[in-house]
Each structure stands twice: as C-alpha cells, then as structure tokens.
Amino acid sequence: GQQLNQSPQSMFIQEGEDVSMNCTSSSIFNTWLWYKQEPGEGPVLLIALYKAGELTSNGRLTAQFGITRKDSFLNISASIPSDVGIYFCAGPNSGYALNFGKGTSLLVTP
Amino acid sequence: NAGVMQNPRHLVRRRGQEARLRCSPMKGHSHVYWYRQLPEEGLKFMVYLQKENIIDESGMPKERFSAEFPKEGPSILRIQQVVRGDSAAYFCASSPQTGYHEQYFGPGTRLTVT
C-alpha cells in the first residue's frame, strides 16, 4: 500500500501551546482521516476529509486536505493535558483497507 | 454500549497454542476490518469481511491465520500455533456500508505469546 510519513515523530509541549503536525504520501489520496490513540485503547476518529483543499474543524482541532492530495495537516489549538496521545493519519488504499502513518506522539506538560 | 466491542482485552498464550479474538461491530455496521499493531508502529491491515464473506485478505499471513464473520455472532480472528512474533495488539474496526471510508475501532486485544 501507499506509504504515509508523519512528522514530527514526537512533540513535547506546554499546556496552552498550539500544535501542528503533518502527513505526506507518495501517492494521491481521495480521503484523509485523523485518529487519536491513547495508551491501551483503540484509535478514535477525530476528523475525516474528502475534498482537496478542505478545511474541517472539530472543537480545538483543525485538519486540512492538501491541494496536491498527497498531504494533510492537523492543528490543535490551546493544548490541554488530555490531548496527550498518538495521532495517526490514515487513507484508504485502492480497496477499503486503511493505510496508517507511524504516528506523532504528543506529550503536554501542565 | 453502541461501540465496537472486542474480547478478550488481554490474552496470553504459550507457543503452539491457538488464539481466538472476537469482535462485535457497531450496531448497524455490516463491514468488519482487522488490523495488527506492533509496538511503536501504526496499524497494519489484515483482512476485510462482510457477513459470511471475506472480501480482502491481502494483509493476512498465508499460514496459521484465518478470519470469519458468520451470519450470526461476532467476527473471529483465529491464530493457530502461535509464535512469539504474533505478540501484538489486534484491532477490529467496523463501517456501515461499502465505499464508506470512516472506520470505527474497538479497544483491541493485546496478545502475548510466552
């Protein structure tokens, strides 16, 4: 399947700071999904993007579908301790399986 | 609880034993996907099933692994003669219909092979 590269690999920030992370692909995607996973739990869907250029928000989270359709960005504003977790981007391959990046690990200090 | 359910949450097996992992999709969902996650890695697709049909098993190892989603009851991922390399978290996801890319995940089963 297509390879998804996420950066940064990890982030260590203070509460209240804004966070930006991105995901790039070697191929075009028609859908981008962003998930958050906390320790010992399954991934939770945060935002789904379906159109190039689309900007979608979910509370303090905003995600964008890149114009080239080969990248996507996730921003978290005014981070809080419960934002801690691993954030994964994902996109469907030619079938219905999702390809996942390796994740961006976020740590927030009070 | 209307979410995806998986059990057991933790499973310990000795090398050579069988592991059976169960998944009940969200209410109203008829599509089930199984993924495996190794430590420090993203999720890797294994198999996609609809009721009584395997649609795509391209990510599943050819030997020892099998999956089913019967007409009644949960989807089962079965691993025969487990080896240490099978130790991982196994996640099930479900979606409501064909072509719908949003998948909703269960809490996972952590398999440890000793």
Side-chain angles (χ1 to χ4, degrees):
Chain A
Q2 299 96 324
Q3 189 162 354
L4 297 182
N5 298 304
Q6 289 191 246
S7 66
Q9 189 173 353
S10 62
M11 302 181 77
F12 189 72
I13 63 169
Q14 282 198 313
E15 184 176 0
E17 289 184 17
D18 295 344
V19 172
S20 290
M21 60 188 78
N22 69 70
C23 184
T24 59
S25 167
S26 54
S27 312
I28 286 173
F29 277 100
N30 292 317
T31 302
W32 284 96
L33 304 170
W34 283 93
Y35 287 86
K36 178 189 177 187
Q37 185 178 27
E38 296 183 20
E41 298 297 329
V44 174
L45 181 62
L46 299 173
I47 293 179
L49 302 159
Y50 292 99
K51 283 168 58 173
E54 180 182 357
L55 191 70
T56 298
S57 294
N58 177 7
R60 293 177 297 105
L61 277 61
T62 302
Q64 184 161 23
F65 193 141
I67 291 292
T68 66
R69 293 165 62 194
K70 289 187 176 182
D71 56 8
S72 180
F73 308 88
L74 178 68
N75 296 315
I76 305 173
S77 62
S79 58
I80 59 179
S82 62
D83 290 333
V84 165
I86 303 176
Y87 292 80
F88 291 100
C89 62
N93 64 12
S94 56
Y96 304 104
L98 291 179
N99 290 314
F100 280 81
K102 291 192 174 182
T104 292
S105 177
L106 179 63
L107 291 173
V108 181
T109 57
Chain B
N1 185 353
V4 178
M5 298 177 68
Q6 290 188 249
N7 65 80
R9 293 291 304 271
H10 300 274
L11 182 62
V12 179
R13 285 287 178 265
R14 291 201 180 99
R15 278 180 297 172
Q17 291 185 320
E18 178 178 291
R20 279 187 179 234
L21 288 61
R22 288 176 290 277
C23 168
S24 296
M26 284 180 73
K27 189 175 180 180
H29 288 193
S30 58
H31 300 247
V32 166
Y33 313 79
W34 285 93
Y35 293 81
R36 177 164 63 177
Q37 185 178 36
L38 295 171
E40 311 296 324
E41 294 284 330
L43 284 74
K44 301 289 187 192
F45 167 75
M46 299 180 74
V47 61
Y48 162 41
L49 310 103
Q50 296 177 23
K51 286 282 187 183
E52 300 184 279
N53 283 306
I54 296 175
I55 307 301
D56 180 355
E57 56 182 346
S58 59
M60 196 129 82
K62 295 282 187 287
E63 297 178 356
R64 302 187 298 107
F65 285 72
S66 63
E68 62 177 12
F69 188 15
K71 188 176 179 182
E72 301 290 339
S75 175
I76 306 285
L77 179 67
R78 182 181 177 208
I79 311 172
Q80 296 178 288
Q81 299 175 316
V82 296
V83 300
R84 287 228 172 99
D86 296 333
S87 295
Y90 292 84
F91 292 96
C92 165
S94 72
S95 68
Q97 62 196 42
T98 300
Y100 189 85
H101 293 301
E102 295 176 27
Q103 296 179 16
Y104 297 88
F105 285 81
T109 294
R110 272 88 186 153
L111 172 65
T112 302
V113 179
T114 61

